[in-house]
Amino acid sequence: MSRSASGRRIVAVCRGCESVFVSEQRPDGTIRPIGVSADCSCGDGEFERLSRPDPDAV
């Protein structure tokens, strides 16, 4: 399976404890951390994509 078919790599934060993970955002929109279990070590499984700051918004 190609990388584009499986998802794209992003940085995501756990909504429960705010831990940050390199993650994969799948085509269906779900986010899963890479290299750890599907849930965060705090027990929460909800992740939110971090976005880059807009350099022009200063």
Side-chain angles (χ1 to χ4, degrees):
M1 180 180 287
S2 74
R3 193 160 126 194
S4 61
S6 64
R8 69 188 268 206
R9 289 190 177 179
I10 62 168
V11 177
V13 63
C14 172
R15 291 182 181 174
C17 70
E18 299 183 354
S19 293
V20 176
F21 298 93
V22 174
S23 303
E24 176 184 78
Q25 186 168 20
R26 297 178 179 166
D28 67 0
T30 58
I31 297 173
R32 290 290 148 229
I34 296 171
V36 295
S37 70
D39 294 331
C40 182
S41 60
C42 75
D44 196 342
E46 295 294 318
F47 298 92
E48 179 177 325
R49 182 179 180 170
L50 291 180
S51 58
R52 292 185 191 173
D54 183 355
D56 297 326
V58 184

